[in-house]
């Protein structure tokens, strides 16, 4: 195939070597909090300051973090590959953009964005968000982190599904395959006959659905795979 269409899905694992904890990391930020408390609309309604503080801490960490060779290799692929490349991420850390990627599809939102629950207006989040910050559009005191919480609908699903329907290659990097709908992308890709590749430290929940699995650290496996694609 000369210029295959590629859809890439990244998860927390690609940012692990940049010092940002995944869900499962022992002692990490996620280990100190229950998902129900910090990553659901109900948790936010119960204790907004806990949730705003949790994301303020994550925003500060992401602000200081530096992309690694995995992020950089994907930015290079986007620049140099002659076919379509759609980069979809579950990460909210902005490291793909820091590595030079453009047009990144943030299906779970972004730490550097704030969202008004009243009018859906979005704006650049300050490093430290405050509880009950006023919306610059409608003035309601209903600012929240622009993060897709459990129980909420991921963003840009139409665009992602359209790209999957055209994909020749689907690649999942650093994602545990626990969180739907992202965990179902491999099935959609297989349905249209795409070649499927997993790059993860440990086998994911959905590893059996991939034709090609490349275990290891993303900083090693991703640049090697990008070289393969660009050389083929
Ligand atoms: P996850 O924590 O469930 O799984 C991470 C996966 O990455 C694991 O399977 C692990 O084996 C693998 N991994 C760990 N280190 C790796 C490395 N160096 N190289 C390659 N793989 C490595 O993460 P997920 O699947 O992305 O979970 C989805 C949810 O986690 C999303 O909702 C996402 O928004 C959220 N999340 C995002 C961040 C971030 O933005 N950096 C961090 C934590 C969680
Ligand atoms: Zn508003």
């Amino acid at each position: 195939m000369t210029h295959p269409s590629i859809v890439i899905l990244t998860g927390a694992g690609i940012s692990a070597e940049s010092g940002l904890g995944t869900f499962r990391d022992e002692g990490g930020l996620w280990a100190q909090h229950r998902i129900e408390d910090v990553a659901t609309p109900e948790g936010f309604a119960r204790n907004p300051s806990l949730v705003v503080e949790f994301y303020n801490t994550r925003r500060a960490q992401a602000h200081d973090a530096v992309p690694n060779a995995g992020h950089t290799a994907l930015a290079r692929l986007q620049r140099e590959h002659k076919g379509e490349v759609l980069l979809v991420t579950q990460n909210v850390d902005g490291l793909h953009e820091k590595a030079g990627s453009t047009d990144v599809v943030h299906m779970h939102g972004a730490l550097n964005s704030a969202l008004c629950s009243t009018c859906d207006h979005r704006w650049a989040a300050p490093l430290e968000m405050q509880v009950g910050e006023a919306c610059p559009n409608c003035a309601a005191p209903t600012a929240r982190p622009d993060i897709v919480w459990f129980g909420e609908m991921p963003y840009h699903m139409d665009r992602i599904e359209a790209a999957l329907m055209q994909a020749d290659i689907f690649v999942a990097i650093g994602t545990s395959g626990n969180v739907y709908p992202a965990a179902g992308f491999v099935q959609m890709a297989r349905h249209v006959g795409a070649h499927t590749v997993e790059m993860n430290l440990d086998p994911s929940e959905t590893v059996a659905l991939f034709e090609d699995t490349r275990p290891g650290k993303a900083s090693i496996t991703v640049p090697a795979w990008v070289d393969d694609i660009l050389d083929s």
Side-chain angles (χ1 to χ4, degrees):
M1 203 174 302
T2 350
H3 303 310
S5 289
I6 304 173
V7 177
I8 301 163
L9 171 70
T10 65
I14 197 170
S15 295
E17 291 165 82
S18 295
L20 301 179
T22 67
F23 269 155
R24 286 139 180 250
D25 279 333
E26 277 176 43
L29 198 52
W30 287 101
Q32 296 158 30
H33 295 280
R34 297 191 319 157
I35 285 176
E36 308 85 277
D37 291 338
V38 294
T40 62
E42 295 76 18
F44 183 60
R46 244 182 346 253
N47 192 343
S49 43
L50 175 78
V51 176
V52 166
E53 271 310 312
F54 176 77
Y55 288 101
N56 282 348
T57 305
R58 297 194 62 204
R59 191 177 300 106
Q61 289 174 346
H63 183 261
D64 293 341
V66 177
N68 63 59
H71 300 102
T72 312
L74 294 183
R76 174 167 170 247
L77 181 73
Q78 281 187 306
R79 276 195 309 273
E80 296 183 11
H81 181 61
K82 295 202 173 59
E84 295 287 326
V85 180
L86 188 72
L87 178 54
V88 179
T89 189
Q90 299 170 92
N91 296 345
V92 294
D93 54 35
L95 287 182
H96 285 302
E97 284 86 350
K98 268 194 200 169
S101 278
T102 50
D103 194 21
V104 181
V105 178
H106 280 275
M107 63 179 293
H108 289 167
L111 286 165
N112 64 6
S113 177
L115 169 69
C116 173
S117 327
T118 304
C119 74
D120 287 342
H121 179 67
R122 288 192 166 78
W123 64 100
L127 258 182
E128 293 249 331
M129 280 186 77
Q130 311 287 326
V131 174
E133 224 169 276
C135 165
N137 183 51
C138 77
T142 48
R144 57 167 274 183
D146 189 8
I147 303 286
V148 176
W149 288 323
F150 287 91
E152 296 183 320
M153 186 62 79
Y155 301 150
H156 311 297
M157 286 305 294
D158 290 351
R159 184 173 175 204
I160 297 167
E161 284 176 12
L164 284 168
M165 291 303 134
Q166 308 289 323
D168 299 308
I169 301 176
F170 171 71
V171 188
I173 304 167
T175 179
S176 59
N178 279 318
V179 180
Y180 281 83
F185 292 172
V186 61
Q187 263 147 325
M188 287 188 219
R190 283 179 65 122
H191 188 69
V192 298
H195 178 63
T196 51
V197 185
E198 169 168 297
M199 286 175 260
N200 213 45
L201 195 56
D202 311 311
S204 74
E205 297 290 323
T206 50
V207 66
L209 296 172
F210 290 85
E211 289 155 330
D212 181 5
T213 52
R214 300 179 170 215
K217 292 189 171 184
S219 65
I220 310 287
T221 57
V222 178
W225 172 76
V226 167
D227 284 345
D228 287 354
I229 293 287
L230 292 176
D231 291 347
S232 64

